[in-house]
Structure formats: structure tokens, C-alpha cells
Amino acid sequence: MMIAQQFTKEVAAMQPLLSIEQLSVNFGRDNRVVDEISFEIYPGETFALVGESGSGKSITALSVVRLLPFAAKMQASAVVLQGENLLSIPEAAFCKLRGRRIGMIFQDPMSSLNPVMTIGQQITEVLDLHFQLPKIQTRQQVLELLHQVEIPEPERRIDEYPHQLSGGQRQRVMIAIALAGKPDLLIADEPTTALDVTIQAQILELLKNLQQKTGMALWLISHDLALVSNIADRIAVMQNGKIVETASTAAFFKQANHPYSLKLLAALPLMSSCINKTEQAADTLLKVNDLKVYYPIRKGLLKRVVDHVKAVDGVSFTLEQGKTLALVGESGCGKTSLGKSLLNLGVAAQGQVIFNGIDLKQLQGEALRRQRAEIQIIFQDPFAAMNPRMLVGDIIEEGLRALRPEISKSQRQTQVAKLLRQVDLPEAAALRYPHEFSGGQRQRICIARALAVEPKLIICDEPTSALDVSVQAQIIELLKQLQQKQGLSYLLITHNFGVVAEMADDVAVMYQGRIVEHGKVEQVLMRPEHAYTRALLGAVPILKGEG
């Protein structure tokens, strides 16, 4: 793939592969989500369209391939692919173009793949539609595509179903389906958002290698500027349906011009944030000794236990009062199982958990219920963590009713209003439902709920993974302020090392149920000792210019 500097020198001599002029998309009469945007994508380049959720990025791509929702209405002066105006092509003919000349990788592979069809059958669908090859040749082509996207053991995997694959493997299948038609333009809509940093790096490397081999253009849709800086030739920034800035990648990261672009760059958590953090000694709040969480594997007619999955296998660590311990590692390493075991949330665990001088594993009944107020949790998906039929005020108040029964109703309502103000939400939010709020606002509500019973420790399970960079920055700042004012301790479960650098005092790296490295944040991030830690950090996309 050409680097950005080379590309910009040659772009003047090229004809655009895709040219869009004055594209608009409306949902209803007054709701314009894409507002007269124009841009070009050239052969062989990687063009990144960046911006926050709701800016119109995905709707722009869906309008080009005619996959808009029924309620959406598109208008454009021209949408030209290799000299042919796509607006003049009838729908029947466009079906042959979609997937053949323009391929698309969607954000969530699990919802995009058919759960009752094997991955081989789903790739075969594309080949049958566009090439009509003999069955033997079709299967050989499917195997070649699976090999091309580096699926291990393609001869076996070809007959497996999506649920039998990991998240990274499912995304590779989506890439294979998109490549099956040998497209000139590949649209990748947030292709790595839900993936761990190592898998993300593998997917990006795969896309770059495939681009080199095929010469296709890549249209990348993302809100991750660090990722974009490592792969894109040109960048267009989108805000409220408009493109506010377009530049080569080198020029953009050297000197962005638009205030919104500068705001996005300023909101990025940087790895360098961990340098020279002040350290103050504090009392130990949580001490975990030899914690084990084993899940039984049952087989046979009688479902006898034949083995165990060792999700957490002999973990020990300490967390000080008012400090943040980050627990990092790839999906499946045992981070969330460890967090849930501390709360006794349906996870049977062995070992010793000493919290504020009390052994939690020895508590039962009422004593355990009272202790729950001391440790709360913020879940990864705030919408799934709240009852959609309950008002926000009732959601926040629920913990007070259960764990602080001595407080009167009027006192609870006063406390709810105070908590909403504390997380920068209006008191009137108490009378609304979760679906009426944005993702960042819903996460603030979950933080208010966790604070309601005045805990000493909050377990933050990927609290910013689904949020845009500017909203992520707001949530990080809010959590830091609450920690300073109330002396809270956090167990931060994440795979985002930028967030770790911003928030954490100490870092524990988990691999296959064990902690393989533990130390101060600057030491672990800047001078890692374990090979697995170095591999994780090596996969993190570093913003150009950060060093």
C-alpha cells in the first residue's frame, strides 16, 4: 500500500474510483443526517471517514450501496463508480454490482452472519450470485478465501457455524465474504471496534496485505484516530452530517485545522499520560489471595464433569484505598470472571478475598447483603445494564431501597437528585427512561447508580469501550474527579491501554487465568518485562506524533 505522502503526489494524475457529489440523506422531512457532502476515493488508496456516533458516517456508506432503511430518502447530484453514475442503475442491475464491484464489512459480524448457515455456505452465496462456478471449483475458491484471510484449518472451519468461531475469526469470515466478489472498493465499517488490541492489529495487517495483493481501494469508517493514523492515506472528518475537514493523513496529524478535528485529537487518551504520575502511600483496601474460578465441562448422557475451564487460576493482588488498579488482557483471559467473583455474582470462587479487613468468602446471608453496598460495579453496556421499563430515578433509587432501607422516600429522592447533579445530568432526568439518553449519558446514570450506596470500591468493567473518544474522555474525567473527591478505589477492567495510562496507578496483566505481570503503570506500560505484555503493547495503535 502506498504511504500517504506518496499517494498525495500521484493523486492529481488519477481518476477517482468513486466520486460522490452533494449527497444528502433525510429521515423524515426535517431530520437530515447527511447534508450535501462531496468526496472522492482513488484506486489503491485507503480513505478514512472519521467522526463520532451519529455524525452520518455509516449512513453515507449505506446510501452508496443502497442499503438504507426504508424511512430514509437519499438525494445526490452524482454517485459515480469508475465513470458510471450509480444513480441511473435500476435496482435489479444494482444487486449484481453490490458485492461484486463494491464489498462491505459490517461492524458486528455476529449479527451480520447467518447463525443457521455454515461459513462455507455463506461465502458460497456470493460466488454463486456473481460467478456461477462448478461446485468443486466453488469449494476450492471458498477454501482459498479462508486461507487468504488466515483462518486456521480452513478445511475443517468451512463446515462450522459462526458461533463456533472467535470474534476475530468471525470478522475474518466477513472479510472473506466481502472479498469473494473481487471488489474494486471495499468499505470497512468499524471493522475492529469490538476486538482486542492484538486481534485488531491482525485484522488491520490483513486488510493492508490484501490491499497490496489486489490493488483495491479501502474506505475505512472509524472513530479511532490512532488506528486511522496508522493505515489511512487520506482522512475526512464528519460532524453532524457534514464533512468539515479533508486532508492527507500526514497533514491532518501534523496540523489539523477545524475546531472539531482538534477536539477529537485532544480527547484521545495517550500512552504518555502515565509518565511521572505522583505516588502516595495508602492503606490496603482489597487483598486477593490465590483466587480460583473454575467452570465445569460436562459431557455424556448424565452430564458428568470431565474437566474444568480455569478462568481464574490462582490470582493474587492488592488494591490500595483511593487508587486504581487496571486489569488488562485479551477477551477470555478471565478479567470479567475475576470481577464478578469479587461481587459473588453467580460465580463460585475459591481463595481469599479480604476487603477492608473482612474476609468476604466467610460472609453469608444478611452480613453478605450489607457488605454489597461497599463494592459496586459499572458494566460495559449501560443500556443492557438498566431495566428499560423503569424510570432513571427508580433505577438509581433501587440500590438505596435494597441496601439502605432505613432511608425515607423523600431522603432517597433528594439523594437521587444530588447524584444526577454529581454526574453532570439534570435533575429532570429522573423522570425519563434509559432509551431517551445517549450512550455517554446512560453510562453516567450507571455511575450514579453505583455511587448511590456510597461504596468504597467500584469495579469498572470496560466502562468506555462502546463510547466515542470525546464521550470517553468525559467519562474518564468524571471518574477521576469522583475518585479525588470521595477517595474511591477502582478495579478497572479494560483492553484500552490509553484509558489505563490516563486512570491507573497500578497494572496487572492477565493471560490464561493468571497474572503474568504486575507493577506501577509507568513501569508496565513503558518498560514491560513479560513477553505477553510486550506483545499486547506492540499491537496498540499509536497516534502519529505521540512517539
Side-chain angles (χ1 to χ4, degrees):
M1 186 185 78
M2 293 179 293
I3 62 174
Q5 293 91 331
Q6 293 172 323
F7 185 85
T8 51
K9 290 179 181 178
E10 299 177 13
V11 73
M14 293 184 182
Q15 290 296 319
L17 174 69
L18 178 71
S19 178
I20 295 174
E21 296 179 18
Q22 293 184 306
L23 172 67
S24 296
V25 179
N26 286 61
F27 282 80
R29 181 176 298 177
D30 302 319
N31 185 13
R32 176 164 286 192
V33 295
V34 178
D35 192 4
E36 295 188 349
I37 66 170
S38 301
F39 62 89
E40 299 83 28
I41 300 176
Y42 291 87
E45 84 161 320
T46 298
F47 173 80
L49 190 61
V50 302
E52 296 174 289
S53 297
S55 62
K57 307 185 304 294
S58 295
I59 290 295
T60 299
L62 292 173
S63 66
V64 171
V65 292
R66 294 192 190 176
L67 291 177
L68 287 171
F70 180 76
K73 302 297 180 186
M74 182 187 83
Q75 294 178 325
S77 297
V79 179
V80 180
L81 179 68
Q82 293 179 317
E84 184 176 10
N85 194 345
L86 301 185
L87 300 177
S88 63
I89 300 177
E91 181 59 30
F94 199 90
C95 287
K96 296 180 180 179
L97 179 148
R98 189 192 300 117
R100 176 64 180 89
R101 294 169 63 188
I102 304 177
M104 190 160 185
I105 306 166
F106 295 97
Q107 182 171 350
D108 183 1
M110 198 58 185
S111 63
S112 301
L113 295 171
N114 191 327
V116 297
M117 293 176 64
T118 67
I119 62 172
Q121 289 171 332
Q122 297 186 60
I123 301 172
T124 299
E125 273 190 324
V126 182
L127 295 172
D128 288 345
L129 178 63
H130 297 296
F131 300 107
Q132 298 176 347
L133 303 171
K135 284 189 176 181
I136 294 177
Q137 193 174 343
T138 298
R139 187 173 176 87
Q140 290 174 342
Q141 186 66 32
V142 172
L143 288 170
E144 174 59 30
L145 283 163
L146 291 175
H147 179 75
Q148 201 172 1
V149 298
E150 299 174 11
I151 292 284
E153 301 178 83
E155 292 81 5
R156 177 171 65 87
R157 297 290 192 180
I158 190 173
D159 296 316
E160 292 187 344
Y161 292 88
H163 73 272
Q164 296 175 279
L165 307 180
S166 68
Q169 289 170 340
R170 286 195 290 265
Q171 195 62 286
R172 289 171 187 270
V173 172
M174 288 293 297
I175 294 172
I177 292 171
L179 292 174
K182 300 178 181 178
D184 300 307
L185 172 64
L186 180 62
I187 303 172
D189 188 1
E190 300 277 11
T192 62
T193 296
L195 303 178
D196 295 317
V197 287
T198 50
I199 306 299
Q200 175 179 281
Q202 292 169 17
I203 294 297
L204 292 177
E205 186 65 27
L206 172 63
L207 287 173
K208 287 196 288 186
N209 291 338
L210 291 171
Q211 190 178 34
Q212 284 180 330
K213 292 176 183 176
T214 63
M216 67 183 179
L218 178 62
W219 176 0
L220 178 65
I221 296 170
S222 180
H223 64 255
D224 189 338
L225 288 175
L227 178 152
V228 164
S229 74
N230 286 271
I231 191 173
D233 297 303
R234 283 192 305 130
I235 292 174
V237 181
M238 203 164 180
Q239 180 190 25
N240 297 330
K242 292 180 178 290
I243 290 180
V244 297
E245 183 168 1
T246 304
S248 71
T249 302
F252 179 83
F253 286 101
K254 183 178 180 180
Q255 184 63 59
N257 293 314
H258 195 273
Y260 180 67
S261 303
L262 296 171
K263 174 189 170 186
L264 290 179
L265 289 167
L268 279 172
L270 301 177
M271 294 283 285
S272 55
S273 303
C274 69
I275 298 174
N276 297 326
K277 279 195 173 182
T278 57
E279 297 180 14
Q280 294 180 343
D283 295 332
T284 298
L285 177 69
L286 176 69
K287 186 175 182 179
V288 175
N289 292 320
D290 197 29
L291 187 68
K292 297 177 181 179
V293 178
Y294 292 177
Y295 296 107
I297 300 173
R298 301 178 184 273
K299 289 187 177 180
L301 184 64
L302 300 177
K303 300 295 181 184
R304 289 193 175 95
V305 177
V306 297
D307 204 349
H308 289 84
V309 175
K310 298 179 179 180
V312 181
D313 191 16
V315 165
S316 302
F317 63 88
T318 59
L319 173 58
E320 295 178 344
Q321 178 70 47
K323 298 292 185 70
T324 298
L325 170 66
L327 196 59
V328 301
E330 295 174 289
S331 295
C333 70
K335 304 188 302 294
T336 298
S337 290
L338 190 155
K340 288 183 176 179
S341 71
L342 300 180
L343 293 160
N344 287 313
L345 288 181
V347 177
Q350 299 176 351
Q352 193 177 47
V353 179
I354 308 296
F355 178 78
N356 210 19
I358 300 172
D359 189 347
L360 298 185
K361 294 301 175 185
Q362 302 300 318
L363 298 182
Q364 293 181 348
E366 181 63 20
L368 178 60
R369 191 186 69 83
R370 287 196 304 269
Q371 194 62 40
R372 285 190 185 279
E374 301 290 313
I375 308 176
Q376 291 292 296
I377 186 168
I378 302 168
F379 293 100
Q380 179 175 353
D381 184 348
F383 193 63
M386 291 186 283
N387 188 330
R389 297 182 179 182
M390 290 177 65
L391 293 169
V392 164
D394 294 332
I395 290 171
I396 298 173
E397 191 181 329
E398 192 173 27
L400 290 170
R401 288 198 302 268
L403 299 174
R404 296 282 189 266
E406 70 279 3
I407 299 176
S408 67
K409 183 175 181 179
S410 62
Q411 289 175 316
R412 290 198 301 265
Q413 291 174 343
T414 300
Q415 182 70 0
V416 167
K418 177 184 174 183
L419 288 163
L420 287 169
R421 291 194 303 271
Q422 206 168 0
V423 297
D424 295 326
L425 288 174
E427 294 180 24
L431 300 176
R432 294 162 63 188
Y433 290 92
H435 74 270
E436 299 180 73
F437 296 88
S438 69
Q441 289 171 326
R442 286 197 286 262
Q443 196 61 289
R444 289 173 183 270
I445 293 166
C446 288
I447 292 171
R449 178 175 61 181
L451 292 171
V453 291
E454 300 178 355
K456 291 184 173 66
L457 168 64
I458 297 180
I459 298 171
C460 305
D461 190 1
E462 300 279 8
T464 64
S465 65
L467 304 178
D468 293 314
V469 286
S470 60
V471 181
Q472 174 180 271
Q474 294 168 15
I475 296 299
I476 291 172
E477 187 58 31
L478 173 62
L479 290 171
K480 288 165 67 175
Q481 288 176 4
L482 291 169
Q483 185 174 50
Q484 291 173 356
K485 291 177 183 177
Q486 302 183 24
L488 294 168
S489 298
Y490 296 134
L491 178 62
L492 175 64
I493 298 172
T494 186
H495 62 255
N496 187 325
F497 281 91
V499 175
V500 170
E502 287 278 356
M503 286 189 63
D505 299 290
D506 300 278
V507 181
V509 182
M510 278 194 80
Y511 177 62
Q512 295 184 348
R514 293 178 175 271
I515 289 178
V516 296
E517 186 162 358
H518 186 191
K520 295 298 178 183
V521 61
E522 183 177 357
Q523 172 197 324
V524 174
L525 297 193
M526 297 299 169
R527 298 180 296 278
E529 296 180 356
H530 196 276
Y532 178 69
T533 310
R534 291 196 293 270
L536 283 179
L537 291 168
V540 176
I542 302 298
L543 188 70
K544 295 296 184 185
E546 189 185 350

